[in-house]
Amino acid sequence: MPRFSLPDLSLEGFRRQLANVDALPQLCVLGVLSGLITGGLMVGFRLLLDLGALGFMPGGDSEAFEGLSRAVRAVLPMVAVAIIGLLLWRQPAAARKLGVGHVIERLTYHQGRFPLRNWLNQWWVGVVSVLGGLSAGREGPAIHLGAAASSGLGQQLRLPHNSLRVLVACGTAAGISASFNTPIAGVIFAMEVVMMEYTIAGFMPVILASTMGAVVAQLVYGSEPAFQVPTVSLGSMFNLPWIVISALVIGLLAGLFIHVAKSSRIIDLPVWLRLGLVAVATAGVAWWYPEVQGIGYDSLAASLSGELAVDVLLALVVAKLLLTAITVASGIPIGIIGPVLVVGAAAGALAGLAGGWLWPDKAADPGLYAMLGMAAMMGAVLQAPLAALMALLELTHNPNIILPGMLAVVVSGLTTRQLCRCDGFFISVTRHGLHPLQQPLMQALSRVSVPAVMERSLVRTPRMVTRDQAQALLESNPVWVLIERSTDDKPTLALKAADLARWLMGHSVPDGGEQHEAGELLDLLEIPGLRLEMAPIHLQATLSEAFARLNDQAVDALYVEHGHRPKQKRISGIITRGAIERYYRFDPSSPS
């Protein structure tokens, strides 16, 4: 009768399954947990904003800066900058990295592992920057909090690093989804902006996480989106040329934003001067136009419904854009997605008003142009056209807006990339022209951890052994013999077991000399055969980490350590450069 083995339901078995590229059921479970955690954190962050607003904002509304006196509006940014400067700049530079850029950096160079200090800083910096009247959003903090918490879950469970990367994407998607109530846009944003790749194994858990994040947010705040969108239509196709011109202008604005935000002239100023510039500039503009303060979703909604005067729209386009960019350039870690949407909506509304003045009988409602401007600005700044289109579709619930939306997003994105020479705001290209996350080799190798490829059949031995000991080493039919040649008992060489067996067969003990030969010590370093220099790597590492370590250490093999205490580590297997190359070249979708 055939034998059926039960699946390994232990945590160790769960980890082993996650090491493979096709561990979809396990990743989906993690996606659900990540979505619930991130949704809860996003609700908690919004509650913190509401709680802080109860102390001094009219009606407890964190967006109601217009209801404050001019003096209070002007003082708030100075207080916020002082608090952030005094508390954040006392910490090391590494602890001041927050938001989406920090998430991408940790994913790129640290396999999705996040420091706790940065996560804790994100809570209070996010609240202070928004309630303090700086031009800042809440989406950046939401993404950082969700991605780091989701990754932290994986770290606590000691999951392989390839699954930590998926958890980061899950936390990102759930953060966007819970913030805007746009689950599809959350998924696309996570894959397009953070992961920079599309895979089935990535999509499914991220979709579940985004769904769960939206569900948690809807249970608390209802099913309404972040702001109300009026019902509008394109009307005459005559609007399309004007949409192209508007998108071109918005693309130039996006390029201006990126150039100012990354301007070395601001970044190289002394810290006190940079922070003072942000405080004074924000206070000065807020004295006359409080609409530039905070996230600006109330101003965005007013832009969509045509309730803002032209001078206010101009202030949002020019002043809010420059204030947000200068704040980023000064080193204050704020969220930019909300302000970018507000600037785009205001620019679109101005374009709609101009179109109505030029062609009163043909022009569409300014609200339509405001929606398109919002998507065009987001797509151009982030270089994420699909995420911008999905956000536009989910916020408007109007499929008829997709055609002009596609046109606007593509034109603005091309303008920013080609005319302004700007990549996505969060992307810093390498000398090869690609961000590390965009390199195909690194993408493929990051999806799998070393247990999926390593050779587990091995034995360890000291350098000097007798013939009997050498024969005993081969009884379990190992593939590799790990040779310890140092005083700390660390294996530093790997010998093919077949080479040792071949040598023993060719140097069999003659009759009459058995006792003498059996006790003679053999030096395994003198056995003819293939010997590989080795260095250690942890069991949780991905193949991309293994590949990088092979190059850094200039070795051809790694022995895989299991365990976290130095004296209790054991060797689980060996992974060679050839094994990694075979995985990538022949069958990237399967570790076998």
Side-chain angles (χ1 to χ4, degrees):
M1 295 180 63
R3 292 185 177 181
F4 298 96
S5 59
L6 293 175
D8 189 350
L9 300 180
S10 65
L11 182 57
E12 191 62 37
F14 189 68
R15 295 190 188 111
R16 281 199 302 270
Q17 292 165 332
L18 283 170
N20 295 284
V21 72
D22 57 351
L24 278 178
Q26 294 78 19
L27 290 174
C28 287
V29 171
L30 293 176
V32 171
L33 293 176
S34 172
L36 294 174
I37 292 171
T38 303
L41 290 174
M42 187 60 198
V43 169
F45 184 72
R46 292 177 66 173
L47 289 176
L48 273 180
L49 289 175
D50 294 338
L51 184 63
L54 287 175
F56 63 94
M57 297 294 283
D61 183 1
S62 59
E63 294 275 11
F65 291 97
E66 296 86 349
L68 298 172
S69 66
R70 287 185 170 182
V72 173
R73 295 199 305 256
V75 168
L76 277 177
M78 298 183 181
V79 174
V81 168
I83 293 174
I84 294 173
L86 290 174
L87 297 183
L88 197 61
W89 260 262
R90 289 178 179 269
Q91 302 182 40
R96 301 198 293 268
K97 296 180 179 180
L98 311 175
V100 181
H102 177 62
V103 171
I104 295 176
E105 178 190 350
R106 300 303 298 187
L107 187 66
T108 305
Y109 302 108
H110 303 277
Q111 301 300 322
R113 294 167 294 176
F114 289 81
L116 178 61
R117 175 186 285 187
N118 298 62
W119 189 77
L120 294 175
N121 282 336
Q122 182 65 88
W123 284 95
W124 69 265
V125 171
V127 171
V128 169
S129 60
V130 173
L131 292 181
L134 301 180
S135 181
R138 70 185 182 207
E139 294 74 28
I143 290 169
H144 181 183
L145 295 175
S150 300
S151 173
L153 170 66
Q155 289 178 258
Q156 288 298 314
L157 296 177
R158 297 178 183 172
L159 301 182
H161 292 168
N162 63 322
S163 57
L164 293 188
R165 296 170 59 83
V166 177
L167 281 170
V168 170
C170 290
T172 298
I176 290 289
S177 176
S179 181
F180 288 111
N181 196 17
T182 54
I184 300 178
V187 172
I188 302 300
F189 181 92
M191 305 305 289
E192 192 173 27
V193 177
V194 176
M195 294 291 284
M196 302 184 198
E197 64 173 349
Y198 298 97
T199 62
I200 293 177
F203 260 122
M204 290 189 179
V206 172
I207 289 172
L208 286 173
S210 188
T211 302
M212 291 299 103
V215 167
V216 172
Q218 288 180 18
L219 288 175
V220 179
Y221 295 103
S223 59
E224 295 298 322
F227 33 82
Q228 295 298 319
V229 177
T231 302
V232 294
S233 62
L234 178 62
S236 173
M237 298 295 284
F238 186 77
N239 286 282
L240 293 180
W242 190 241
I243 289 174
V244 170
I245 296 173
S246 303
L248 179 65
V249 174
I250 290 174
L252 295 174
L253 289 172
L256 173 64
F257 173 81
I258 295 174
H259 281 300
V260 174
K262 297 185 177 182
S263 171
S264 59
R265 294 184 178 180
I266 299 176
I267 296 172
D268 293 340
L269 292 175
V271 173
W272 66 269
L273 187 55
R274 281 185 276 147
L275 299 184
L277 175 64
V278 172
V280 172
T282 305
V285 176
W287 181 272
W288 302 102
Y289 294 103
E291 291 84 359
V292 302
Q293 294 185 284
I295 306 172
Y297 283 162
D298 56 342
S299 299
L300 193 155
S303 299
L304 296 174
S305 58
E307 298 174 4
L308 294 182
V310 172
D311 63 321
V312 176
L313 291 173
L314 285 170
L316 289 174
V317 172
V318 178
K320 191 170 183 67
L321 183 147
L322 292 177
L323 287 176
T324 308
I326 292 171
T327 304
V328 172
S330 72
I332 299 177
I334 61 170
I336 68 158
I337 298 176
V340 160
L341 292 174
V342 175
V343 171
L350 283 174
L353 291 174
W357 178 71
L358 293 172
W359 304 283
D361 298 332
K362 300 285 187 180
D365 188 275
L368 173 71
Y369 283 88
M371 294 178 203
L372 297 178
M374 178 177 64
M377 191 72 177
M378 175 182 173
V381 169
L382 304 180
Q383 287 296 300
L386 285 179
L389 282 172
M390 287 301 101
L392 179 65
L393 179 60
E394 288 187 286
L395 289 171
T396 61
H397 299 287
N398 183 1
N400 295 324
I401 204 171
I402 288 298
L403 173 62
M406 292 171 67
L407 191 61
V409 167
V410 169
V411 171
S412 64
L414 280 175
T415 301
T416 303
R417 178 178 286 272
Q418 300 300 321
L419 296 185
C420 302
R421 302 296 179 185
C422 295
D423 293 289
F425 181 81
F426 299 113
I427 297 178
S428 56
V429 298
T430 66
R431 59 194 176 104
H432 302 293
L434 286 177
H435 187 277
L437 291 179
Q438 295 174 314
Q439 297 172 8
L441 175 61
M442 291 298 103
Q443 286 181 349
L445 296 183
S446 295
R447 298 180 196 132
V448 181
S449 287
V450 293
V453 179
M454 72 182 184
E455 176 57 63
R456 301 173 186 270
S457 179
L458 50 85
V459 290
R460 294 179 62 177
T461 179
R463 169 182 175 178
M464 306 300 293
V465 295
T466 65
R467 177 179 290 274
D468 289 342
Q469 290 172 331
Q471 293 284 4
L473 291 174
L474 301 177
E475 290 178 357
S476 60
N477 295 320
V479 176
W480 291 97
V481 176
L482 306 190
I483 304 172
E484 301 165 355
R485 64 175 182 179
S486 56
T487 56
D488 58 0
D489 294 331
K490 291 286 187 181
T492 54
L493 283 176
L495 172 67
K496 273 283 189 180
D499 292 333
L500 177 59
R502 189 178 301 111
W503 187 89
L504 290 174
M505 290 180 63
H507 295 75
S508 58
V509 180
D511 293 340
E514 182 176 350
Q515 183 176 359
H516 173 74
E517 295 288 347
E520 183 182 354
L521 287 177
L522 305 177
D523 187 349
L524 294 181
L525 297 187
E526 296 181 358
I527 301 295
L530 175 65
R531 273 181 292 271
L532 304 179
E533 293 278 352
M534 294 194 302
I537 196 167
H538 198 271
L539 185 70
Q540 293 173 281
T542 63
L543 293 190
S544 63
E545 290 178 275
F547 188 72
R549 186 156 182 79
L550 285 170
N551 293 331
D552 293 341
Q553 298 294 319
V555 295
D556 290 311
L558 303 168
Y559 61 90
V560 183
E561 292 184 320
H562 184 52
H564 292 268
R565 296 180 180 178
K567 294 185 178 180
Q568 296 182 358
K569 289 183 177 180
R570 67 178 190 270
I571 295 178
S572 301
I574 181 174
I575 183 167
T576 64
R577 186 183 299 272
I580 296 176
E581 291 176 352
R582 284 193 300 273
Y583 166 81
Y584 175 68
R585 289 178 180 175
F586 297 115
D587 194 4
S589 63
S590 172
S592 60

